[in-house]
Amino acid sequence: MTEVTQIEEATLCLNLSPDEGLFLLRLLKSSKDDPRIHGLIGTCFWFHSHSKTEEQCIKETWTSVEQKLEALKLARK
């Protein structure tokens, strides 16, 4: 296995099996830590000094990951 010590690209690739992708999508869709619904307070994203800009970035990232997984049209066989 190659050890990565720094990130050289702005885009990262992650190889997931279809079951792993579906698993991740289900986690995103059913999580009580969804910052878009509940905000950051009381979630795993709660930092005592977060700004509105940081909160918006977290919400947009959550949406982006969810949309990319949905675009894969994952389904159990």
Side-chain angles (χ1 to χ4, degrees):
M1 185 172 189
T2 304
E3 184 176 326
V4 177
T5 57
Q6 67 182 27
I7 297 173
E8 295 178 11
E9 297 291 329
T11 301
L12 302 175
C13 292
L14 175 66
N15 291 320
L16 300 173
S17 70
D19 283 342
E20 290 168 333
L22 187 58
F23 174 84
L24 183 56
L25 181 58
R26 285 182 179 167
L27 277 175
L28 287 170
K29 289 187 160 295
S30 63
S31 176
K32 293 185 192 242
D33 279 343
D34 186 338
R36 301 167 303 171
I37 297 171
H38 308 291
L40 300 185
I41 296 174
T43 71
C44 63
F45 299 105
W46 173 244
F47 307 114
H48 293 286
S49 61
H50 75 279
S51 68
K52 288 292 182 187
T53 303
E54 291 168 323
E55 181 173 349
Q56 187 60 38
C57 181
I58 290 169
K59 290 176 179 182
E60 289 171 1
T61 300
W62 187 289
T63 299
S64 175
V65 171
E66 186 177 58
Q67 288 173 343
K68 288 176 181 178
L69 287 166
E70 286 176 336
L72 297 173
K73 306 290 187 207
L74 299 167
R76 270 215 187 260
K77 296 176 184 173

